[in-house]
Amino acid sequence: MKLSRVNTLLMLAIIGINAYIIVLPVMPAVVFWYKSRHSNTVARLAEQLHPLSAGSKPTAPDATGDRIVIPAMQLNQPIYQGPDARTLNKGLWLRPAGSTPDKGSNTVIAGHRFTYTNPRGTLYFLNKVHTGDEIGVFWHDKKYLYRVVSNNVVPPTATEIESATNATQLTLYTCTPLWNPKDRLVVTAILEPGGQP
């Protein structure tokens, strides 16, 4: 009798763990869908890039330090600097080999597509960003406005995505596809004319 109960509990635990492993990666998609239909998140983030009142200073919501705002993917996240890939465990990582928005050239930011631990996936919806979309980077209390010019999938050996450029650009990348992350999804954006203060 006791063995039967133990077997039942073990079976329920196995089912619960498997459900967690299967359902958790699709939960961000469900939340994104719900927010896009029942909240004004995109409009609020877009206002951070283009304040409605003429004299208002552009600041990201809950602005504490350097941040990136991408209305198309409902993203407003801090940018972390660090010497190695362990920084990805905090969130979006400003790659040390790249530049910074105030210095021009190629600012490169990487982030996880999905993890079972925090951060769950800061760039989960990078595939929702398309040519023409706006990206705002709030860097040292200044806003830099970029416009997306391309999104591509490249192999992980394509290190040229981090190379210096003559144009002032922003490069974002993450692993793809979601279920078998063997490549990199890369979004490139160019600084808008007048895109910096």
Side-chain angles (χ1 to χ4, degrees):
M1 189 73 160
K2 287 184 179 181
L3 190 57
S4 173
R5 288 184 183 161
V6 170
N7 284 341
T8 302
L9 287 175
L10 286 174
M11 183 59 72
L12 290 174
I14 289 169
I15 291 170
I17 290 169
N18 285 331
Y20 174 81
I21 290 170
I22 292 168
V23 170
L24 196 61
V26 297
M27 282 307 295
V30 172
V31 172
F32 185 89
W33 174 84
Y34 182 82
K35 279 183 167 181
S36 65
R37 286 170 177 58
H38 298 95
S39 78
N40 60 354
T41 304
V42 173
R44 276 195 337 255
L45 293 175
E47 185 180 343
Q48 299 308 310
L49 302 183
H50 302 284
L52 297 177
S53 44
S56 62
K57 181 182 176 186
T59 57
D62 305 319
T64 53
D66 304 322
R67 304 181 75 73
I68 188 167
V69 174
I70 308 175
M73 58 185 285
Q74 301 178 12
L75 182 78
N76 174 22
Q77 291 288 319
I79 300 168
Y80 296 97
Q81 292 181 277
D84 57 45
R86 288 180 294 191
T87 309
L88 281 170
N89 296 331
K90 294 179 181 179
L92 295 173
W93 177 31
L94 177 71
R95 297 281 290 142
S99 185
T100 57
D102 55 336
K103 294 179 183 168
S105 194
N106 190 10
T107 301
V108 181
I109 298 174
H112 285 303
R113 184 80 186 269
F114 179 79
T115 59
Y116 281 97
T117 58
N118 286 328
R120 292 253 186 258
T122 49
L123 293 180
Y124 188 97
F125 293 111
L126 191 59
N127 63 318
K128 303 263 186 214
V129 178
H130 302 292
T131 301
D133 289 342
E134 289 182 317
I135 299 174
V137 176
F138 294 82
W139 186 259
H140 299 331
D141 297 323
K142 291 184 180 177
K143 178 184 74 170
Y144 297 84
L145 188 62
Y146 298 85
R147 188 155 310 271
V148 175
V149 293
S150 70
N151 51 0
N152 300 299
V153 174
V154 300
T157 56
T159 56
E160 65 274 6
I161 64 172
E162 295 193 17
S163 297
T165 58
N166 292 328
T168 301
Q169 78 176 40
L170 174 67
T171 302
L172 303 170
Y173 72 89
T174 190
C175 296
T176 199
L178 183 62
W179 296 101
N180 182 22
K182 60 184 176 60
D183 292 318
R184 301 291 178 265
L185 175 59
V186 181
V187 168
T188 305
I190 300 295
L191 187 70
E192 287 273 82
Q196 53 190 123

